[in-house]
Amino acid sequence: MEIWNKYTSRIRQNILVSSEENKDLKYWRDDMFSNTIIYIIPLSIIALIPSLFWAFESKLPIMIWIDLLSVIAALFIGLKKGIKIKQRKLLFIGTVYFLSFSLIYFVGLNSTLYLLAACFLSTFIYTFKNQYTPALINFYISVFYISAYYLNLTPTQRIDFKSSELFAVFANLIFLSFLICSLVPKLFNGLDESFKNNIRHTKKIEKQNEVLKEITWIQSHVVRTPLSRIMAICNLLKENDNTEEEKTFLMENIIISSNELDDIIKEIVAKSENIHSVKK
């Protein structure tokens, strides 16, 4: 468990650059990417052993190198320090697409699921200028593969499917890819608006708390000064040995303190109105 905690901590420190205090959409997408890398590395290492055996038995040494390079790339993306997160994401997307294309080319149509997964992951972790970029990549790969198939440039001895199956599989792949690229950005736009509203609401609450703290301080300190002065003067006025001059002086101070207290109350009322305006 300690090793796992150190491992996850290392990857999160390398990847996450958004402040956790401001958990906006960018932070959550980066966090999603870091979690993807955290689990992909051990899973890819586990899957590497049977993949190497399969490639060796199938006499496909190139797949051995492709699998090894993919695992090395995953380790590099997660554990290498000093790389910007944008570069990590692009390297990850490139690795996933390279592996997916290699599997389709050498294994067959059963591996088209990897292209769909690549499209899904790419759309989730990275914001493309053209939201349909992952779908277009799948489209170009499909066109390339179909062309290579009809030009006899694919290892056909490993493929047992009809032409109709070929078009059906890639047509569905392209359809689902464009569907993902259409829906996922809408989901993120909704989440982004929700995050922004949440941040705005949090800032309003923080501002209200600041005003309430100011009001509390005024009530406990500023109000107390003129009020204590008035109470003290009233006690002095209760005494019967005050001269007329002293009474006049004390009354003038009561008026001064009352005006001061009135100004303070007006300030409190104004700040209270600010709280109501912040709520709107």
Side-chain angles (χ1 to χ4, degrees), residues 15-279:
I15 293 177
L16 287 179
V17 293
S18 300
S19 173
E20 292 195 16
E21 295 179 358
N22 185 23
K23 292 187 176 181
D24 54 6
L25 182 61
K26 183 182 184 307
Y27 170 81
W28 288 113
R29 294 185 81 167
D30 293 346
D31 183 65
M32 186 187 305
F33 175 60
S34 68
N35 285 321
T36 301
I37 297 299
I38 285 172
Y39 289 101
I40 272 185
I41 289 177
L43 291 175
S44 62
I45 293 174
I46 294 172
L48 179 63
I49 298 174
S51 297
L52 293 178
F53 275 112
W54 171 85
F56 181 78
E57 290 181 354
S58 301
K59 297 180 180 180
L60 283 174
I62 189 171
M63 282 304 303
I64 295 176
W65 290 107
I66 290 172
D67 289 337
L68 288 172
L69 286 174
S70 299
V71 174
I72 292 172
L75 291 168
F76 181 83
I77 293 168
L79 300 177
K80 177 65 176 177
K81 294 182 178 180
I83 305 176
K84 294 181 179 179
I85 189 168
K86 180 179 180 180
Q87 296 171 342
R88 294 181 193 271
K89 289 182 178 182
L90 290 175
L91 180 58
F92 174 76
I93 292 170
T95 301
V96 172
Y97 268 108
F98 175 70
L99 177 62
S100 301
F101 174 77
S102 300
L103 287 171
I104 289 176
Y105 186 81
F106 291 106
V107 179
L109 295 183
N110 293 333
S111 301
T112 51
L113 183 62
Y114 284 90
L115 276 180
L116 192 63
C119 177
F120 183 79
L121 286 172
S122 301
T123 308
F124 255 82
I125 66 174
Y126 191 79
T127 303
F128 294 91
K129 291 183 179 179
N130 182 350
Q131 70 181 67
Y132 296 104
T133 297
L136 289 172
I137 293 174
N138 282 354
F139 172 77
Y140 294 138
I141 290 176
S142 301
V143 172
F144 176 83
Y145 185 86
I146 292 172
S147 301
Y149 173 77
Y150 280 103
L151 293 174
N152 295 322
L153 298 177
T154 57
T156 53
Q157 69 275 12
R158 302 180 185 280
I159 304 172
D160 53 351
F161 54 81
K162 300 177 181 179
S163 298
S164 58
E165 294 176 347
L166 179 71
F167 282 101
V169 169
F170 281 110
N172 282 287
L173 170 66
I174 294 169
F175 166 74
L176 291 174
S177 297
F178 275 95
L179 184 64
I180 289 172
C181 291
S182 298
L183 296 181
V184 171
K186 291 183 181 296
L187 170 64
F188 279 124
N189 288 337
L191 289 174
D192 188 37
E193 187 62 30
S194 177
F195 277 120
K196 288 178 179 177
N197 289 335
N198 186 44
I199 291 172
R200 284 194 292 265
H201 182 65
T202 302
K203 288 181 178 179
K204 284 182 180 180
I205 293 175
E206 290 175 352
K207 190 173 181 180
Q208 290 174 13
N209 289 337
E210 289 177 2
V211 175
L212 288 172
K213 287 179 180 178
E214 290 180 12
I215 292 175
T216 302
W217 187 86
I218 291 172
Q219 290 176 335
S220 60
H221 295 83
V222 182
V223 172
R224 192 68 184 171
T225 301
L227 182 60
S228 299
R229 196 182 305 130
I230 292 172
M231 293 172 64
I233 294 173
C234 289
N235 289 330
L236 290 173
L237 286 172
K238 288 180 181 179
E239 299 178 2
N240 296 323
D241 56 349
N242 293 318
T243 64
E244 289 298 324
E245 185 178 350
E246 289 175 339
K247 289 180 180 180
T248 302
F249 175 77
L250 292 174
M251 290 300 296
E252 288 176 353
N253 277 276
I254 287 178
I255 294 172
I256 293 172
S257 297
S258 298
N259 290 333
E260 183 180 344
L261 184 59
D262 183 57
D263 291 337
I264 294 170
I265 292 172
K266 288 179 180 178
E267 183 181 356
I268 293 174
V269 171
K271 289 184 179 294
S272 300
E273 290 176 352
N274 287 336
I275 293 177
H276 293 295
S277 64
V278 169
K279 289 181 179 179

